[in-house]
Amino acid sequence: MQLASTAGSPEGRPSGRPVSRQVLADHVYEELLASLMDGRLEPGAAVSIDGTARELDVSPTPVREALARLEHTGMVRRVALKGYRVAPVFTREDFAELMEARLAIEPVNARLACARLTPSRLAELTQAVTDLKDAPRGPTFAEFRDYLEADERFHRLIAEQTGNQFMVAAYAALGGQIQRFRLFGGVGITDADHAIAEHQAVLDALSSGDSEKAAAAMAEHVRMVRGRAIADAPAD
Amino acid sequence: MQLASTAGSPEGRPSGRPVSRQVLADHVYEELLASLMDGRLEPGAAVSIDGTARELDVSPTPVREALARLEHTGMVRRVALKGYRVAPVFTREDFAELMEARLAIEPVNARLACARLTPSRLAELTQAVTDLKDAPRGPTFAEFRDYLEADERFHRLIAEQTGNQFMVAAYAALGGQIQRFRLFGGVGITDADHAIAEHQAVLDALSSGDSEKAAAAMAEHVRMVRGRAIADAPAD
DNA sequence: CCGCCGCAGGTCCTATAGGATCTGAACATG
DNA sequence: CATGTTCAGATCCTATAGGACCTGCGGCGG
């Protein structure tokens, strides 16, 4: 088994990955996803297949495949013969619907995760909350990027800890939207102190082993997020 | 604005769709999805890109795009540089997880749908239950195909009736798996009489306007499905 | 008889070419 | 001035070509 060297690239990989070779479409997918998550692509902006291919210096074929995958996540939308566009900005109704969905799913995740929590996973969750507390919260995006990442990681870890592939899939279908909303929903991280306290409460409930308490703490957290966003968000 | 005539097709569309032209990749996607839903592609079977392209008489490019979309539904799985395979058979654990996820999502859907049920939607739901009762239940697949379709339609209509795009997405992520399990999970439609009664109960609760009752009826239905499947399914 | 090697076919992956369509702007006309 | 037309560029969509990799099979040496 030798390293992949699909194209010329005569200099070889820096310290080549031994296995799990990567396909160009995967690279394009991750690149586009990062652009969407980081807000480099604004809602409504067109995502040209040919243009992206030129920008990433690949052919349109892998870009087309990456975008086809992205479409199913709701981050981009496609119109036949017209191309892809970044999904439009969230309205208040969208936000209310998203929170309703989170309320249906995340407390269940917390309850299931609590029942089979392992020490190593608990450590990861604790680390996420610690990162949340330590993350800078400056005004520019670069400065609260780590905060958002830790927040998303906390919720995703709980979903994964359920051990239920379908609950993970259901959360993943929402997770990207949650992240996107944080960027463009009009509410910054003015609620950091409250949010950190709520995350800590969820973590405490989980480590106590009381499933119902964990579910309740998560439900309370989501409700509080909803309440603060409604209070802060500008009228649309 | 004129009709699409992408390829030769000199005879034109039978009664051409005025708008919403179709792209080859869409056609391939629907064709593959139908094959998966109908069980023509068995779990674990390889889905060759080139082979599918030859079979449908198109180039590999649209097939690749269609498969990229299908991957995100969980119906097929992809291994880099090795191709796509139909997702493997459900185990008992998979089934238990799927039912857990349904229990988290579908009662919420019933409650939300109940709160904003329109007469026309109620008529559609009633029709679905009627179709369920009238559908043949013979031993061969062709004979209970309509039964499965009506069953899936009933649940999907409720999800759509919530008016919540995220709950629809969450259900859709499960819907395909539910359908697939019905085909290969080892349990046929021996439970039709019970299932029909439960669907009727959900419908009655919905039309009564009692949201909590609707949610309870749906939860009961899912629990009963789980119970019957566990009783019927062979040990794996 | 058993293991190794080369080869052919199939498959995946990417790039490229070319036809069809959309978009926007310049231009002509009432 | 308003409106319709034309045209060029960009874009989408599909087909095709070719390189890299895997797999199975027949032949050869031990």
Short mmCIF file of all heavy atoms in Angstrom, two decimals, chain D residues 9-28:
data_model
loop_
_atom_site.label_atom_id
_atom_site.label_comp_id
_atom_site.label_asym_id
_atom_site.label_seq_id
_atom_site.Cartn_x
_atom_site.Cartn_y
_atom_site.Cartn_z
P DG D 9 -17.66 38.08 -25.29
OP1 DG D 9 -16.61 39.11 -25.47
OP2 DG D 9 -17.65 36.86 -26.12
"O5'" DG D 9 -17.67 37.65 -23.75
"C5'" DG D 9 -18.09 38.57 -22.75
"C4'" DG D 9 -18.80 37.83 -21.62
"O4'" DG D 9 -20.07 37.33 -22.09
"C3'" DG D 9 -18.03 36.62 -21.08
"O3'" DG D 9 -17.68 36.87 -19.73
"C2'" DG D 9 -19.01 35.44 -21.23
"C1'" DG D 9 -20.35 36.13 -21.42
N9 DG D 9 -21.29 35.38 -22.24
C8 DG D 9 -21.13 34.97 -23.54
N7 DG D 9 -22.16 34.33 -24.02
C5 DG D 9 -23.06 34.30 -22.96
C6 DG D 9 -24.36 33.74 -22.89
O6 DG D 9 -24.98 33.13 -23.75
N1 DG D 9 -24.93 33.94 -21.63
C2 DG D 9 -24.34 34.59 -20.60
N2 DG D 9 -25.03 34.70 -19.46
N3 DG D 9 -23.12 35.13 -20.64
C4 DG D 9 -22.55 34.94 -21.86
P DA D 10 -16.81 35.79 -18.94
OP1 DA D 10 -15.90 36.53 -18.04
OP2 DA D 10 -16.27 34.78 -19.87
"O5'" DA D 10 -17.94 35.11 -18.03
"C5'" DA D 10 -18.91 35.94 -17.39
"C4'" DA D 10 -19.99 35.07 -16.77
"O4'" DA D 10 -20.86 34.58 -17.82
"C3'" DA D 10 -19.45 33.85 -16.02
"O3'" DA D 10 -20.12 33.75 -14.77
"C2'" DA D 10 -19.80 32.68 -16.95
"C1'" DA D 10 -21.05 33.18 -17.64
N9 DA D 10 -21.27 32.60 -18.96
C8 DA D 10 -20.38 32.56 -20.00
N7 DA D 10 -20.85 31.98 -21.08
C5 DA D 10 -22.13 31.61 -20.73
C6 DA D 10 -23.16 30.95 -21.44
N6 DA D 10 -23.03 30.53 -22.69
N1 DA D 10 -24.33 30.73 -20.79
C2 DA D 10 -24.44 31.16 -19.52
N3 DA D 10 -23.55 31.79 -18.76
C4 DA D 10 -22.41 31.99 -19.43
P DT D 11 -19.63 32.66 -13.70
OP1 DT D 11 -19.80 33.29 -12.37
OP2 DT D 11 -18.32 32.13 -14.12
"O5'" DT D 11 -20.70 31.51 -13.85
"C5'" DT D 11 -22.08 31.80 -13.79
"C4'" DT D 11 -22.90 30.60 -14.21
"O4'" DT D 11 -22.83 30.47 -15.64
"C3'" DT D 11 -22.38 29.27 -13.66
"O3'" DT D 11 -23.30 28.79 -12.69
"C2'" DT D 11 -22.32 28.34 -14.87
"C1'" DT D 11 -23.04 29.12 -15.96
N1 DT D 11 -22.50 28.87 -17.32
C2 DT D 11 -23.31 28.28 -18.26
O2 DT D 11 -24.45 27.95 -18.04
N3 DT D 11 -22.72 28.10 -19.48
C4 DT D 11 -21.42 28.44 -19.84
O4 DT D 11 -21.01 28.21 -20.97
C5 DT D 11 -20.63 29.04 -18.82
C7 DT D 11 -19.22 29.46 -19.10
C6 DT D 11 -21.20 29.23 -17.61
P DC D 12 -23.04 27.38 -11.97
OP1 DC D 12 -23.50 27.53 -10.58
OP2 DC D 12 -21.66 26.94 -12.27
"O5'" DC D 12 -24.05 26.42 -12.73
"C5'" DC D 12 -25.37 26.86 -13.00
"C4'" DC D 12 -26.03 25.90 -13.97
"O4'" DC D 12 -25.39 26.00 -15.27
"C3'" DC D 12 -25.96 24.43 -13.56
"O3'" DC D 12 -27.24 23.83 -13.72
"C2'" DC D 12 -24.94 23.84 -14.53
"C1'" DC D 12 -25.13 24.71 -15.76
N1 DC D 12 -23.94 24.79 -16.65
C2 DC D 12 -24.04 24.42 -17.99
O2 DC D 12 -25.12 24.02 -18.44
N3 DC D 12 -22.94 24.52 -18.78
C4 DC D 12 -21.79 24.96 -18.28
N4 DC D 12 -20.75 25.04 -19.10
C5 DC D 12 -21.67 25.34 -16.91
C6 DC D 12 -22.76 25.23 -16.14
P DC D 13 -27.46 22.35 -13.06
OP1 DC D 13 -28.90 22.24 -12.75
OP2 DC D 13 -26.45 22.13 -12.01
"O5'" DC D 13 -27.14 21.37 -14.26
"C5'" DC D 13 -27.97 21.42 -15.43
"C4'" DC D 13 -27.39 20.54 -16.52
"O4'" DC D 13 -26.15 21.11 -16.99
"C3'" DC D 13 -27.04 19.11 -16.09
"O3'" DC D 13 -27.84 18.20 -16.81
"C2'" DC D 13 -25.55 18.95 -16.42
"C1'" DC D 13 -25.31 20.08 -17.41
N1 DC D 13 -23.93 20.60 -17.44
C2 DC D 13 -23.19 20.55 -18.62
O2 DC D 13 -23.70 20.05 -19.61
N3 DC D 13 -21.92 21.04 -18.63
C4 DC D 13 -21.40 21.56 -17.52
N4 DC D 13 -20.16 22.04 -17.57
C5 DC D 13 -22.14 21.64 -16.30
C6 DC D 13 -23.40 21.14 -16.30
P DT D 14 -27.88 16.66 -16.32
OP1 DT D 14 -29.27 16.23 -16.49
OP2 DT D 14 -27.22 16.55 -14.99
"O5'" DT D 14 -26.98 15.89 -17.38
"C5'" DT D 14 -27.26 16.05 -18.77
"C4'" DT D 14 -26.08 15.63 -19.59
"O4'" DT D 14 -24.98 16.54 -19.37
"C3'" DT D 14 -25.53 14.24 -19.30
"O3'" DT D 14 -25.89 13.36 -20.35
"C2'" DT D 14 -24.00 14.43 -19.21
"C1'" DT D 14 -23.79 15.86 -19.69
N1 DT D 14 -22.68 16.59 -19.03
C2 DT D 14 -21.62 17.01 -19.79
O2 DT D 14 -21.53 16.80 -20.98
N3 DT D 14 -20.65 17.68 -19.10
C4 DT D 14 -20.64 17.97 -17.74
O4 DT D 14 -19.71 18.59 -17.22
C5 DT D 14 -21.79 17.51 -17.01
C7 DT D 14 -21.88 17.77 -15.53
C6 DT D 14 -22.75 16.85 -17.68
P DA D 15 -25.35 11.85 -20.36
OP1 DA D 15 -26.35 11.07 -21.10
OP2 DA D 15 -24.97 11.43 -18.99
"O5'" DA D 15 -24.04 11.99 -21.24
"C5'" DA D 15 -24.12 12.69 -22.49
"C4'" DA D 15 -22.76 12.69 -23.16
"O4'" DA D 15 -21.89 13.62 -22.47
"C3'" DA D 15 -22.05 11.34 -23.18
"O3'" DA D 15 -21.53 11.09 -24.48
"C2'" DA D 15 -20.93 11.50 -22.15
"C1'" DA D 15 -20.66 12.99 -22.17
N9 DA D 15 -20.21 13.53 -20.88
C8 DA D 15 -20.84 13.42 -19.68
N7 DA D 15 -20.22 14.01 -18.68
C5 DA D 15 -19.10 14.56 -19.28
C6 DA D 15 -18.03 15.31 -18.78
N6 DA D 15 -17.92 15.66 -17.49
N1 DA D 15 -17.06 15.70 -19.65
C2 DA D 15 -17.18 15.35 -20.94
N3 DA D 15 -18.14 14.63 -21.53
C4 DA D 15 -19.07 14.28 -20.64
P DT D 16 -20.88 9.67 -24.79
OP1 DT D 16 -21.19 9.41 -26.21
OP2 DT D 16 -21.25 8.69 -23.75
"O5'" DT D 16 -19.32 9.93 -24.66
"C5'" DT D 16 -18.76 11.05 -25.35
"C4'" DT D 16 -17.32 11.25 -24.94
"O4'" DT D 16 -17.27 11.85 -23.63
"C3'" DT D 16 -16.50 9.95 -24.85
"O3'" DT D 16 -15.36 10.08 -25.69
"C2'" DT D 16 -16.11 9.85 -23.38
"C1'" DT D 16 -16.18 11.31 -22.93
N1 DT D 16 -16.45 11.50 -21.49
C2 DT D 16 -15.58 12.26 -20.74
O2 DT D 16 -14.59 12.79 -21.21
N3 DT D 16 -15.92 12.39 -19.41
C4 DT D 16 -17.01 11.84 -18.77
O4 DT D 16 -17.20 12.02 -17.58
C5 DT D 16 -17.87 11.05 -19.60
C7 DT D 16 -19.08 10.41 -19.01
C6 DT D 16 -17.55 10.92 -20.90
P DA D 17 -14.38 8.84 -25.91
OP1 DA D 17 -14.06 8.80 -27.35
OP2 DA D 17 -14.93 7.63 -25.25
"O5'" DA D 17 -13.10 9.31 -25.10
"C5'" DA D 17 -12.63 10.66 -25.25
"C4'" DA D 17 -11.42 10.89 -24.37
"O4'" DA D 17 -11.86 11.18 -23.02
"C3'" DA D 17 -10.47 9.69 -24.25
"O3'" DA D 17 -9.13 10.14 -24.24
"C2'" DA D 17 -10.86 9.05 -22.93
"C1'" DA D 17 -11.27 10.27 -22.11
N9 DA D 17 -12.27 9.98 -21.08
C8 DA D 17 -13.41 9.24 -21.21
N7 DA D 17 -14.12 9.17 -20.11
C5 DA D 17 -13.40 9.91 -19.19
C6 DA D 17 -13.61 10.22 -17.83
N6 DA D 17 -14.66 9.79 -17.15
N1 DA D 17 -12.69 10.98 -17.21
C2 DA D 17 -11.64 11.40 -17.90
N3 DA D 17 -11.33 11.18 -19.17
C4 DA D 17 -12.26 10.42 -19.78
P DG D 18 -7.95 9.08 -24.54
OP1 DG D 18 -7.08 9.70 -25.56
OP2 DG D 18 -8.54 7.73 -24.77
"O5'" DG D 18 -7.17 9.05 -23.17
"C5'" DG D 18 -6.89 10.27 -22.49
"C4'" DG D 18 -6.61 10.01 -21.04
"O4'" DG D 18 -7.86 9.82 -20.31
"C3'" DG D 18 -5.78 8.74 -20.76
"O3'" DG D 18 -4.78 9.06 -19.82
"C2'" DG D 18 -6.79 7.77 -20.18
"C1'" DG D 18 -7.70 8.74 -19.44
N9 DG D 18 -9.01 8.21 -19.09
C8 DG D 18 -9.86 7.48 -19.87
N7 DG D 18 -10.97 7.15 -19.27
C5 DG D 18 -10.84 7.69 -18.00
C6 DG D 18 -11.72 7.67 -16.89
O6 DG D 18 -12.83 7.13 -16.80
N1 DG D 18 -11.19 8.34 -15.79
C2 DG D 18 -9.98 8.98 -15.78
N2 DG D 18 -9.64 9.58 -14.64
N3 DG D 18 -9.15 9.02 -16.80
C4 DG D 18 -9.65 8.36 -17.87
P DG D 19 -3.45 8.17 -19.76
OP1 DG D 19 -2.39 8.88 -20.50
OP2 DG D 19 -3.79 6.77 -20.11
"O5'" DG D 19 -3.10 8.22 -18.20
"C5'" DG D 19 -3.20 9.46 -17.51
"C4'" DG D 19 -3.52 9.23 -16.05
"O4'" DG D 19 -4.92 8.88 -15.92
"C3'" DG D 19 -2.73 8.09 -15.39
"O3'" DG D 19 -2.30 8.49 -14.10
"C2'" DG D 19 -3.73 6.94 -15.33
"C1'" DG D 19 -5.04 7.70 -15.15
N9 DG D 19 -6.21 6.97 -15.62
C8 DG D 19 -6.41 6.48 -16.89
N7 DG D 19 -7.57 5.87 -17.03
C5 DG D 19 -8.16 5.97 -15.78
C6 DG D 19 -9.41 5.51 -15.32
O6 DG D 19 -10.28 4.88 -15.95
N1 DG D 19 -9.62 5.81 -13.99
C2 DG D 19 -8.74 6.49 -13.19
N2 DG D 19 -9.12 6.70 -11.93
N3 DG D 19 -7.56 6.94 -13.60
C4 DG D 19 -7.34 6.65 -14.91
P DA D 20 -1.21 7.56 -13.35
OP1 DA D 20 -0.25 8.48 -12.71
OP2 DA D 20 -0.75 6.49 -14.26
"O5'" DA D 20 -2.11 6.89 -12.22
"C5'" DA D 20 -2.77 7.74 -11.29
"C4'" DA D 20 -3.60 6.90 -10.33
"O4'" DA D 20 -4.76 6.40 -11.03
"C3'" DA D 20 -2.87 5.67 -9.76
"O3'" DA D 20 -3.10 5.61 -8.36
"C2'" DA D 20 -3.49 4.50 -10.50
"C1'" DA D 20 -4.90 5.01 -10.79
N9 DA D 20 -5.51 4.42 -11.98
C8 DA D 20 -4.97 4.34 -13.23
N7 DA D 20 -5.76 3.77 -14.11
C5 DA D 20 -6.90 3.46 -13.39
C6 DA D 20 -8.10 2.84 -13.74
N6 DA D 20 -8.38 2.41 -14.98
N1 DA D 20 -9.04 2.68 -12.78
C2 DA D 20 -8.77 3.11 -11.54
N3 DA D 20 -7.66 3.71 -11.09
C4 DA D 20 -6.76 3.86 -12.07
P DC D 21 -2.31 4.50 -7.52
OP1 DC D 21 -1.85 5.19 -6.28
OP2 DC D 21 -1.34 3.79 -8.39
"O5'" DC D 21 -3.45 3.49 -7.11
"C5'" DC D 21 -4.68 3.98 -6.61
"C4'" DC D 21 -5.74 2.89 -6.63
"O4'" DC D 21 -6.15 2.65 -8.00
"C3'" DC D 21 -5.25 1.53 -6.09
"O3'" DC D 21 -6.02 1.19 -4.95
"C2'" DC D 21 -5.47 0.55 -7.24
"C1'" DC D 21 -6.46 1.28 -8.14
N1 DC D 21 -6.38 0.93 -9.57
C2 DC D 21 -7.45 0.32 -10.21
O2 DC D 21 -8.47 0.07 -9.55
N3 DC D 21 -7.36 0.00 -11.52
C4 DC D 21 -6.24 0.29 -12.20
N4 DC D 21 -6.19 -0.03 -13.50
C5 DC D 21 -5.13 0.92 -11.57
C6 DC D 21 -5.23 1.22 -10.26
P DC D 22 -5.52 -0.08 -4.06
OP1 DC D 22 -5.71 0.31 -2.65
OP2 DC D 22 -4.21 -0.57 -4.53
"O5'" DC D 22 -6.63 -1.16 -4.43
"C5'" DC D 22 -8.00 -0.80 -4.33
"C4'" DC D 22 -8.87 -1.84 -5.02
"O4'" DC D 22 -8.61 -1.80 -6.45
"C3'" DC D 22 -8.61 -3.29 -4.57
"O3'" DC D 22 -9.85 -3.87 -4.21
"C2'" DC D 22 -7.98 -3.95 -5.79
"C1'" DC D 22 -8.55 -3.12 -6.94
N1 DC D 22 -7.72 -3.11 -8.18
C2 DC D 22 -8.24 -3.63 -9.37
O2 DC D 22 -9.38 -4.11 -9.38
N3 DC D 22 -7.47 -3.60 -10.49
C4 DC D 22 -6.25 -3.08 -10.45
N4 DC D 22 -5.53 -3.06 -11.59
C5 DC D 22 -5.70 -2.53 -9.24
C6 DC D 22 -6.46 -2.58 -8.14
P DT D 23 -9.81 -5.34 -3.55
OP1 DT D 23 -10.92 -5.39 -2.59
OP2 DT D 23 -8.43 -5.66 -3.12
"O5'" DT D 23 -10.17 -6.29 -4.79
"C5'" DT D 23 -11.24 -5.93 -5.65
"C4'" DT D 23 -11.49 -7.03 -6.67
"O4'" DT D 23 -10.64 -6.81 -7.83
"C3'" DT D 23 -11.17 -8.44 -6.18
"O3'" DT D 23 -12.15 -9.35 -6.66
"C2'" DT D 23 -9.80 -8.74 -6.78
"C1'" DT D 23 -9.89 -7.98 -8.11
N1 DT D 23 -8.58 -7.53 -8.64
C2 DT D 23 -8.33 -7.65 -10.00
O2 DT D 23 -9.14 -8.11 -10.77
N3 DT D 23 -7.10 -7.20 -10.39
C4 DT D 23 -6.10 -6.66 -9.59
O4 DT D 23 -5.03 -6.30 -10.07
C5 DT D 23 -6.43 -6.58 -8.19
C7 DT D 23 -5.42 -6.01 -7.24
C6 DT D 23 -7.64 -7.01 -7.79
P DG D 24 -12.34 -10.76 -5.96
OP1 DG D 24 -13.73 -10.83 -5.47
OP2 DG D 24 -11.21 -11.01 -5.03
"O5'" DG D 24 -12.20 -11.75 -7.19
"C5'" DG D 24 -12.89 -11.45 -8.39
"C4'" DG D 24 -12.16 -12.07 -9.57
"O4'" DG D 24 -10.92 -11.36 -9.83
"C3'" DG D 24 -11.77 -13.55 -9.38
"O3'" DG D 24 -12.14 -14.27 -10.54
"C2'" DG D 24 -10.26 -13.49 -9.20
"C1'" DG D 24 -9.89 -12.29 -10.05
N9 DG D 24 -8.63 -11.65 -9.69
C8 DG D 24 -8.21 -11.28 -8.43
N7 DG D 24 -7.04 -10.70 -8.41
C5 DG D 24 -6.65 -10.69 -9.74
C6 DG D 24 -5.47 -10.21 -10.36
O6 DG D 24 -4.50 -9.67 -9.82
N1 DG D 24 -5.49 -10.39 -11.75
C2 DG D 24 -6.51 -10.99 -12.44
N2 DG D 24 -6.35 -11.08 -13.76
N3 DG D 24 -7.62 -11.45 -11.89
C4 DG D 24 -7.62 -11.27 -10.54
P DC D 25 -12.15 -15.90 -10.51
OP1 DC D 25 -13.51 -16.32 -10.89
OP2 DC D 25 -11.55 -16.36 -9.22
"O5'" DC D 25 -11.14 -16.26 -11.69
"C5'" DC D 25 -11.11 -15.45 -12.87
"C4'" DC D 25 -9.85 -15.73 -13.65
"O4'" DC D 25 -8.77 -14.89 -13.17
"C3'" DC D 25 -9.35 -17.18 -13.54
"O3'" DC D 25 -8.98 -17.66 -14.81
"C2'" DC D 25 -8.15 -17.06 -12.61
"C1'" DC D 25 -7.61 -15.69 -12.99
N1 DC D 25 -6.79 -15.05 -11.93
C2 DC D 25 -5.59 -14.42 -12.29
O2 DC D 25 -5.24 -14.39 -13.47
N3 DC D 25 -4.84 -13.83 -11.32
C4 DC D 25 -5.24 -13.86 -10.04
N4 DC D 25 -4.47 -13.28 -9.12
C5 DC D 25 -6.45 -14.51 -9.66
C6 DC D 25 -7.18 -15.08 -10.62
P DG D 26 -9.04 -19.23 -15.09
OP1 DG D 26 -10.19 -19.50 -15.97
OP2 DG D 26 -8.91 -19.93 -13.80
"O5'" DG D 26 -7.70 -19.45 -15.93
"C5'" DG D 26 -7.37 -18.56 -17.00
"C4'" DG D 26 -5.87 -18.42 -17.12
"O4'" DG D 26 -5.37 -17.66 -15.98
"C3'" DG D 26 -5.11 -19.76 -17.11
"O3'" DG D 26 -4.18 -19.79 -18.17
"C2'" DG D 26 -4.42 -19.78 -15.75
"C1'" DG D 26 -4.23 -18.30 -15.45
N9 DG D 26 -4.17 -17.99 -14.02
C8 DG D 26 -5.08 -18.36 -13.06
N7 DG D 26 -4.76 -17.94 -11.86
C5 DG D 26 -3.58 -17.25 -12.05
C6 DG D 26 -2.76 -16.56 -11.10
O6 DG D 26 -2.93 -16.43 -9.89
N1 DG D 26 -1.65 -16.00 -11.73
C2 DG D 26 -1.35 -16.08 -13.06
N2 DG D 26 -0.24 -15.47 -13.46
N3 DG D 26 -2.10 -16.71 -13.94
C4 DG D 26 -3.20 -17.27 -13.37
P DG D 27 -3.41 -21.12 -18.49
OP1 DG D 27 -3.41 -21.30 -19.96
OP2 DG D 27 -3.88 -22.20 -17.61
"O5'" DG D 27 -1.92 -20.73 -18.05
"C5'" DG D 27 -1.30 -19.57 -18.61
"C4'" DG D 27 0.00 -19.29 -17.89
"O4'" DG D 27 -0.27 -18.90 -16.53
"C3'" DG D 27 0.97 -20.50 -17.81
"O3'" DG D 27 2.28 -20.07 -18.11
"C2'" DG D 27 0.83 -20.96 -16.37
"C1'" DG D 27 0.55 -19.64 -15.65
N9 DG D 27 -0.16 -19.79 -14.39
C8 DG D 27 -1.34 -20.46 -14.18
N7 DG D 27 -1.75 -20.42 -12.94
C5 DG D 27 -0.77 -19.66 -12.28
C6 DG D 27 -0.68 -19.28 -10.93
O6 DG D 27 -1.44 -19.53 -10.00
N1 DG D 27 0.47 -18.52 -10.71
C2 DG D 27 1.39 -18.19 -11.64
N2 DG D 27 2.42 -17.45 -11.24
N3 DG D 27 1.30 -18.54 -12.92
C4 DG D 27 0.20 -19.27 -13.17
P DC D 28 3.40 -21.15 -18.49
OP1 DC D 28 4.07 -20.72 -19.73
OP2 DC D 28 2.81 -22.51 -18.39
"O5'" DC D 28 4.43 -20.97 -17.28
"C5'" DC D 28 4.94 -19.67 -16.97
"C4'" DC D 28 5.59 -19.68 -15.60
"O4'" DC D 28 4.57 -19.77 -14.59
"C3'" DC D 28 6.54 -20.87 -15.36
"O3'" DC D 28 7.81 -20.39 -14.94
"C2'" DC D 28 5.85 -21.69 -14.28
"C1'" DC D 28 5.00 -20.65 -13.57
N1 DC D 28 3.79 -21.23 -12.94
C2 DC D 28 3.56 -21.00 -11.56
O2 DC D 28 4.36 -20.32 -10.91
N3 DC D 28 2.44 -21.54 -10.99
C4 DC D 28 1.58 -22.25 -11.72
N4 DC D 28 0.50 -22.73 -11.13
C5 DC D 28 1.80 -22.48 -13.11
C6 DC D 28 2.90 -21.96 -13.67
#
